[in-house]
mmCIF file of all heavy atoms in Angstrom:
data_model
loop_
_atom_site.group_PDB
_atom_site.id
_atom_site.type_symbol
_atom_site.label_atom_id
_atom_site.label_comp_id
_atom_site.label_asym_id
_atom_site.label_seq_id
_atom_site.Cartn_x
_atom_site.Cartn_y
_atom_site.Cartn_z
ATOM 1 N N THR A 420 -9.950 -0.532 -9.859
ATOM 2 C CA THR A 420 -11.059 -1.154 -9.135
ATOM 3 C C THR A 420 -11.568 -0.230 -8.038
ATOM 4 O O THR A 420 -12.779 -0.094 -7.829
ATOM 5 C CB THR A 420 -10.614 -2.495 -8.529
ATOM 6 O OG1 THR A 420 -10.163 -3.358 -9.577
ATOM 7 C CG2 THR A 420 -11.756 -3.175 -7.776
ATOM 8 N N SER A 616 -6.209 21.065 10.245
ATOM 9 C CA SER A 616 -4.864 20.505 10.218
ATOM 10 C C SER A 616 -4.913 19.032 9.817
ATOM 11 O O SER A 616 -5.757 18.272 10.293
ATOM 12 C CB SER A 616 -4.218 20.631 11.606
ATOM 13 O OG SER A 616 -3.183 19.699 11.787
ATOM 14 N N GLY A 635 -27.845 -2.099 6.914
ATOM 15 C CA GLY A 635 -28.129 -0.720 6.560
ATOM 16 C C GLY A 635 -27.613 -0.401 5.183
ATOM 17 O O GLY A 635 -26.499 -0.781 4.817
#
Side-chain angles (χ1 to χ4, degrees):
T420 301
S616 157

